[in-house]
Amino acid sequence: MSTSLILMIVCFLALMVIGLPIAYNLLITTVVYLLSADLNIVQLAIKMYGGMNSFSFLAVPFFVLTGQLMLRGGLLESLVKFVNVWFGNFKGAIAIVTIGASLLMGSIVGLAVASAASLGVFLIPMMKKEGYSPAYSAAVMSSASLLGPIMPPSVLMILYCTAVGNTSIAGLFMAAVTPAILIALMQCVIAHRTAKKRGYPSYGKSTWKEKGQATLKALPALFLPVIILGGIFSGVFSITEASGVAVVYSAIIAFFVNRSVKLKDIPDMIVEAASTSGLVLILAGAGTAMAWGIANERVMSLLIEPLSQMPQWAFLLLVNVLLIICGMFMDDYASTVILAPIIAPIAWAIGINPLHIGLVFCINLVVGLATPPFGVTLFVTSPIAGVRIEETAKEALPFLLTTIAILLLVTFVPDIALWLPESMGYLS
């Protein structure tokens, strides 16, 4: 191991311990490596540009903007009402509504924090009003928001595929559909059993007339994921084109049908989309530069030989453990740009399908979003509910364990996830 590589590792860990934002950490660490290795500092700009120069990244601001239009355009309320009239007769109805709405929201926006924040301010007070404990209300929302980055379209999966190459974004989206639905169903089971145990109420049965009215009102919102996913999977348009179509469609509904969004709201929505996109781009650029430094030190050749001797199940188990630990301490986007270019080629070398390892990688990091000590969704939902993060984490544990169980099932029985991309011709 060279002195330059040691300095890179020490610098990265030291800056992470003192709490420097991960994007700046990656940039400074790469600069330290370049200087210590006596390489041209211009390489930083070249590699950063290469990491950010991807057409797929144009989808990020459009998907964020679509979420903003949904939230401000009244589409979110219609989705919640739709899920409520169909599933409100179960015990723990509002928790089930939260999970169902998060699944539908994830099929449009693809961001956990966006789902947790936008749905949380609306549904957590509703859960508290129904007699749910504040900590449990925050836990349900925190766990349900994980469906955002798993249910396609997913910004995390776009970033992963761009970082590693050799992996179809549309194929990875297809592979994620079944696990997302399984996680949502199991979370609903947990919510229902908890509600029965604690005596949380249901809403009672809705009439067919009420179901019809709610469904009719929700059709514009329900049609949006059909446009996005149907267009992508059928090959009518690319991921980026789908995101642009989604913005146009949601804008027409928000501005001209529901008339709940005004021109004065546009600057705020654009700022939100720009800030999220900027974060993804900076991390992609800085992570690519650092990954180049790691590759330049021939770390891959050192790792591939011993790890390629492992059976697939042992390697996958090792990846699961490593990524869940990383997810507990590091941002999922940062983990992707740093670790994906290392883990994916090793997995391919031992015969693991690119879509399979991509799905396992992304779901692992999503689990980290709700895992203490730095689970970001815990930090978003706990203040809304007015409780400490420790209380939310304790209540979220059954939901988290359920998600991990589905992750392990997908890890060791890949056909559960891969049947859909295989049937559509995306399995390589």
Side-chain angles (χ1 to χ4, degrees):
M1 186 179 291
S2 70
T3 304
S4 300
L5 182 60
I6 293 172
L7 278 173
M8 176 191 284
I9 295 170
V10 170
C11 180
F12 176 78
L13 294 175
L15 293 176
M16 189 167 69
V17 167
I18 66 175
L20 187 73
I22 193 69
Y24 300 121
N25 183 338
L26 295 174
L27 289 172
I28 293 172
T29 299
T30 306
V31 169
V32 168
Y33 168 74
L34 291 172
L35 293 175
S36 63
D38 198 25
L39 296 169
N40 194 332
I41 198 70
V42 175
Q43 286 292 335
L44 176 63
I46 294 172
K47 301 305 175 184
M48 281 191 69
Y49 177 78
M52 294 186 288
N53 186 27
S54 171
F55 183 67
S56 299
F57 283 142
L58 283 176
V60 177
F62 288 136
F63 281 134
V64 177
L65 199 52
T66 300
Q68 290 290 309
L69 287 165
M70 276 193 65
L71 176 61
R72 297 167 187 257
L75 297 174
L76 192 56
E77 289 85 345
S78 64
L79 283 179
V80 172
K81 179 66 175 176
F82 167 76
V83 179
N84 187 31
V85 296
W86 285 97
F87 301 102
N89 59 309
F90 292 99
K91 281 283 187 181
I94 188 63
I96 294 172
V97 167
T98 299
I99 296 163
S102 296
L103 182 67
L104 292 172
M105 183 78 167
S107 68
I108 298 168
V109 180
L111 293 163
V113 176
S115 295
S118 57
L119 286 169
V121 295
F122 181 55
L123 289 169
I124 288 176
M126 287 179 64
M127 283 188 271
K128 291 169 67 176
K129 187 177 179 181
E130 293 288 333
Y132 289 57
S133 72
Y136 182 73
S137 303
V140 171
M141 187 68 257
S142 172
S143 304
S145 66
L146 300 184
L147 296 168
I150 300 175
M151 186 68 184
S154 166
V155 173
L156 178 63
M157 291 179 186
I158 292 173
L159 182 60
Y160 171 86
C161 293
T162 305
V164 303
N166 195 36
T167 305
S168 164
I169 298 177
L172 189 55
F173 280 3
M174 283 189 184
V177 171
T178 303
I181 293 173
L182 287 175
I183 291 170
L185 289 174
M186 291 308 299
Q187 286 189 355
C188 287
V189 171
I190 295 292
H192 178 62
R193 290 175 62 87
T194 302
K196 288 181 67 175
K197 182 178 178 181
R198 299 184 184 182
Y200 292 149
S202 65
Y203 286 127
K205 288 186 177 180
S206 300
T207 65
W208 283 105
K209 181 180 179 181
E210 290 172 328
K211 290 179 179 179
Q213 290 173 341
T215 302
L216 189 63
K217 190 173 181 181
L219 276 179
L222 292 172
F223 197 54
L224 188 50
V226 174
I227 293 173
I228 296 173
L229 302 182
I232 293 170
F233 294 161
S234 65
V236 174
F237 36 64
S238 67
I239 308 292
T240 306
E241 291 165 346
S243 66
V245 170
V247 170
V248 173
Y249 176 84
S250 55
I252 291 171
I253 300 298
F255 279 100
F256 303 110
V257 178
N258 293 347
R259 297 183 179 180
S260 49
V261 177
K262 309 298 180 186
L263 289 176
K264 65 179 182 180
D265 297 322
I266 293 178
D268 288 340
M269 292 190 291
I270 291 176
V271 167
E272 177 68 25
S275 61
T276 302
S277 306
L279 171 64
V280 172
L281 283 174
I282 266 192
L283 284 171
T288 301
M290 184 172 173
W292 172 81
I294 293 171
N296 192 55
E297 290 295 317
R298 303 184 183 279
V299 173
M300 289 297 301
S301 58
L302 296 175
L303 291 176
I304 285 179
E305 186 174 350
L307 292 178
S308 62
Q309 305 304 315
M310 298 176 67
Q312 288 187 6
W313 69 266
F315 176 78
L316 287 168
L317 182 61
L318 178 65
V319 167
N320 275 284
V321 173
L322 171 66
L323 291 178
I324 285 180
I325 293 172
C326 284
M328 293 168 63
F329 297 99
M330 196 160 61
D331 175 82
D332 55 332
Y333 293 162
S335 298
T336 299
V337 296
I338 295 170
L339 297 175
I342 297 174
I343 291 175
I346 298 174
W348 303 337
I350 62 176
I352 298 174
N353 185 274
L355 296 182
H356 183 208
I357 189 62
L359 186 64
V360 169
F361 189 99
C362 291
I363 296 179
N364 263 291
L365 294 184
V366 169
V367 170
L369 295 175
T371 306
F374 299 119
V376 65
T377 61
L378 300 176
F379 282 89
V380 172
T381 59
S382 296
I384 297 173
V387 294
R388 292 183 294 115
I389 293 169
E390 294 86 349
E391 298 174 78
T392 302
K394 183 179 178 181
E395 291 280 23
L397 188 59
F399 296 100
L400 190 62
L401 292 176
T402 296
T403 306
I404 292 173
I406 300 298
L407 165 62
L408 293 175
L409 186 64
V410 170
T411 299
F412 298 111
V413 191
D415 288 344
I416 291 174
L418 297 182
W419 71 271
L420 184 56
E422 182 177 21
S423 65
M424 299 295 289
Y426 281 94
L427 198 59
S428 55

